[in-house]
Each structure stands twice: as C-alpha cells, then as structure tokens.
Amino acid sequence: MKVVVVGASGLIGSRIVRALERTGQEVVEASRETGVNSFTGEGLGHALEGADVLIDVTNSGPFGEGDALDFFKQSGKNLLIAARSLKVKHYMALSVLGVDRLVENDYFRAKMVQENLILSSGLPYTIVRSAQLFDFFNSVVNAYAVDGIIRLPSLILQPLAVDDAADWMAKIAVGSAHNSTIELAGPEESQLIDLARELLTASADPRPVEIDPFATYFGVELAPNGLIPNRKILSGQLTFHDWLAGTAYA
Ligand SMILES: NC(=O)c1ccc[n+]([C@@H]2O[C@H](COP(=O)([O-])OP(=O)(O)OC[C@H]3O[C@@H](n4cnc5c(N)ncnc54)[C@H](OP(=O)(O)O)[C@@H]3O)[C@@H](O)[C@H]2O)c1
C-alpha cells in the first residue's frame, strides 16, 4: 500500500512515517522540504501518483502564528482536488479533539474549516481528532506565564504521546476509510494544572502555578470538563508521568 504523508517532517508526521515503515508500507514523505507545497499545489500531482492513502498532517506554522484560516482552506482544497483527480482511496487528516467547541479561536476555527472541506469532498475519509500531544505543554505553560507566574484555566485534559497518536494514525491508514470522525486521547484524565506542575518540577523550573478563574483556553470559555472526549475513543498507552521520565526534562 502506498501512503503519502503530507507534513512528513513535522512532529507527528515524522512519527507516522516511522510507524508506517515499521508495518512495511510504501511511504512518500511530502513537505516543502521534499518539493511538495500543499498551499501552492506544487509537487502534489507527482507525490500522489499511485497513492492509496493521503494523510494530511500539515500545519500553518507555530500554534497561534500565521494565517491559519488561509492556510488550512487553501492547502485543504489543493490536497482534496489532487486526491480526487488521482483517485486516492482514503483521505485522512489529523484534527483537534473538541475542535467544534473551540471555534472562538482562529486556529481551531481554521481546523474546523479543514474538516468541513473533507466532509463535503465526497472522498472516502477518516478524520482523527486528537487530544493534545504531551510535547505541546511546554508552550502551554509559557503561553500562560504572567509576571513569572503560570496562571491556568481549570481544565481536565486527556493528552497522549506523539508515538501513540502516530501508531493509531498508521493503523487507521492501512484499514478502510471510516467515513466518520474518530477521537483519540491519552490513557488518563488530568487537571491541566497538575500536568503543568509536573512538567515544571521535571525541568527544575521554579515558577509557581495557580488556577486563574478568569483564564480562557486560548481565548475560548470552557467548562472544566469541556475538552473531555465525548465519543468512544481510541486510547494511547503511555502516561504523562512515564513520558516525562523518558524525556530530556527528567
Ligand atoms: N501537536 C499537537 O498537539 C496536535 C494535536 C492534535 C492535532 N494536531 C494537528 O496535527 C497537524 C500537525 O501538527 P504538528 O504539531 O506535527 O505540526 P508541525 O510539527 O508544525 O509540522 C507541520 C508539517 O507541515 C509541513 N508543512 C507546512 N507548510 C506546508 C506546505 N505549504 N506544504 C507542505 N507541507 C507543509 C511542515 O514541513 P515543511 O516546513 O518542510 O513544509 C511539517 O512537516 C496539525 O494540523 C495540527 O493541528 C496537532
């Protein structure tokens, strides 16, 4: 089976490539680095020739930067047009758990647009909405630092390891299209404040952490349980604690 990973050099894309290679699939690594630009369309036709599956794990840039709507709209359209004309059998994309509850935020609204383009394309598809990857929490902590104090919203999350997410993406890719949206999360629910405390302790960062009852989740008002998966989920295995123990922070 030939699988094209668009965004193959990224955090999750690079792990999906490895996971697919472990199962013996033919993998095409596509990103601007390899001459494939989903935003302009350059190189897409060549990369997708004979492809059975396309996995879209592109990103508009670092979270919160750049014009996410412009990116996901144009990139999504180009990928879908190319996939349709080259008769790709299964179109996959990685989205964000709870994205439909996060549309006040520009980035998450752009991800919703990416999903809607897929739904209206008529192509066989699987959308995977993933919880936060453990690697994301470093930037979360820094985004909420005010005068040396990390002031966080009260929120329960169920994050997962990037390799667990990649393994699921690879498993789904080699099966048939689900023609639905699947949720992917970690093995346990945690309070955001506890994840932050553990991360700071592991990296010997002395900054205090506290709950700010007025803090939003990147501009979105959420109930504390607002980002808990609401369907039957696929689950990662590695806990945040065990992941931290194996990172450079430990
Ligand atoms: N990280 C998380 O916690 C998380 C959780 C849930 C869902 N997701 C979703 O997963 C996707 C990937 O996230 P990530 O954290 O792995 O992103 P990332 O590390 O920033 O990687 C983005 C990838 O997209 C490629 N790319 C960017 N612009 C491109 C273009 N015009 N044409 C072709 N390739 C392009 C980049 O390679 P080049 O620069 O070489 O082009 C890179 O390979 C995102 O859509 C994100 O919303 C992430």
Side-chain angles (χ1 to χ4, degrees), residues 7 9-12 31-32 36-38 58-59 95 107 111 133:
S9 59
L11 172 66
I12 179 82
S31 71
R32 286 170 299 182
V36 180
N37 190 328
S38 59
T58 57
N59 211 352
S95 189
Y107 181 84
K111 294 291 293 180
L133 302 176

Side-chain angles (χ1 to χ4, degrees), residues 10 20 26 33 37 46 55 63 71 90 94 110 114 124 128 135 146-147 153 164 170 182-183 196 204 235 250:
L20 285 165
E26 183 189 349
E33 229 175 64
N37 190 328
H46 180 64
I55 304 181
F63 180 71
F71 178 82
H90 185 183
L94 188 65
Q114 179 192 28
V128 179
D135 311 69
V146 180
D147 298 331
D164 282 339
I182 293 175
E183 292 191 337
S235 174

Side-chain angles (χ1 to χ4, degrees), residues 115-129:
E115 287 194 5
N116 288 341
L117 287 168
I118 297 167
L119 296 182
S120 58
S121 71
L123 283 169
Y125 75 94
T126 308
I127 293 171
V128 179
R129 286 186 178 174

Side-chain angles (χ1 to χ4, degrees), residues 136-146 149-152 192-193 195-200 203 205 207-209 218 240:
F136 184 53
F137 288 98
N138 207 20
S139 51
V140 172
V141 161
N142 290 321
Y144 284 91
V146 180
I149 303 175
I150 319 293
R151 298 174 54 81
L152 296 165
L192 173 57
I193 191 166
L195 296 167
R197 278 210 183 100
E198 206 175 342
L199 177 65
L200 290 166
S203 50
D205 186 329
R207 286 179 293 175
V209 191
F218 296 103
F240 188 67

